[in-house]
Amino acid sequence: MKPEKKEFSEQYELVETDDFLPGIISDIKYDLTHKMNYKGQEKVGPAVKIKFLLDGYKSPHFSKWLSFNYHEKSNLYKNYLAVLVDKAEPYMDFDLDSLKGLKVKVLWAQKTTDDGKIFQYPETVRPMDGKISGNHAAEEDDHEEEQIPF
């Protein structure tokens, strides 16, 4: 027995790239042993991919695979946490799944490969209704200082 043959389109559903598109972060995919190329070297480590449901589009759209760490120079931190989480700090104690359901507006960029394939990815992500609250040590320390009566 053979599986049913499925038709695949050569190109994914393309989105507008000249304006912010509203949508939500619907899911986050995790891969603890993802292979990535960085400056010509293959590295294996934890990575995440963010899934967006955009208003007016039928297919979900995704970010690139991002190294799963909160280092101040990481794309995950700079492009997502710093702009979506209130009082974000590098290496903060924050559950990434807290971004699920967050209303965002996304500006997409587009690249065409030498063989003519078009790739789109989020260039800029901003919250629609303000940043979400972060849960990390700095907030707890500030709160404790406020309670000390002097």
Side-chain angles (χ1 to χ4, degrees), residues 3 18 20 33 37 53 63 96 138 142:
D18 59 351
F20 281 91
T33 56
N37 289 316
L53 295 179
S63 70
L96 195 59
D142 290 345

Side-chain angles (χ1 to χ4, degrees), residues 58-77:
K58 62 181 181 177
S59 299
H61 291 79
F62 296 87
S63 70
K64 299 177 186 179
W65 280 103
L66 305 162
S67 184
F68 187 25
N69 70 70
Y70 297 165
H71 184 277
E72 64 189 5
K73 293 185 178 181
S74 74
N75 287 329
L76 178 61
Y77 178 78

Side-chain angles (χ1 to χ4, degrees), residues 70-119:
Y70 297 165
H71 184 277
E72 64 189 5
K73 293 185 178 181
S74 74
N75 287 329
L76 178 61
Y77 178 78
K78 290 188 307 185
N79 299 334
Y80 293 90
L81 299 180
V83 296
L84 298 176
V85 180
D86 190 38
K87 298 180 184 177
E89 295 178 354
Y91 304 110
M92 64 186 180
D93 180 19
F94 180 76
D95 183 356
L96 195 59
D97 285 334
S98 300
L99 295 179
K100 290 181 184 178
L102 182 65
K103 291 180 182 179
V104 292
K105 52 186 177 182
V106 186
L107 182 63
W108 292 82
Q110 180 171 301
K111 286 189 179 179
T112 304
T113 63
D114 292 338
D115 61 355
K117 288 189 178 180
I118 298 172
F119 291 95

Side-chain angles (χ1 to χ4, degrees), residues 24-38:
I24 64 165
I25 294 175
S26 66
D27 198 12
I28 299 172
K29 295 180 179 253
Y30 297 90
D31 183 354
L32 298 178
T33 56
H34 187 75
K35 292 180 185 177
M36 290 193 276
N37 289 316
Y38 179 70

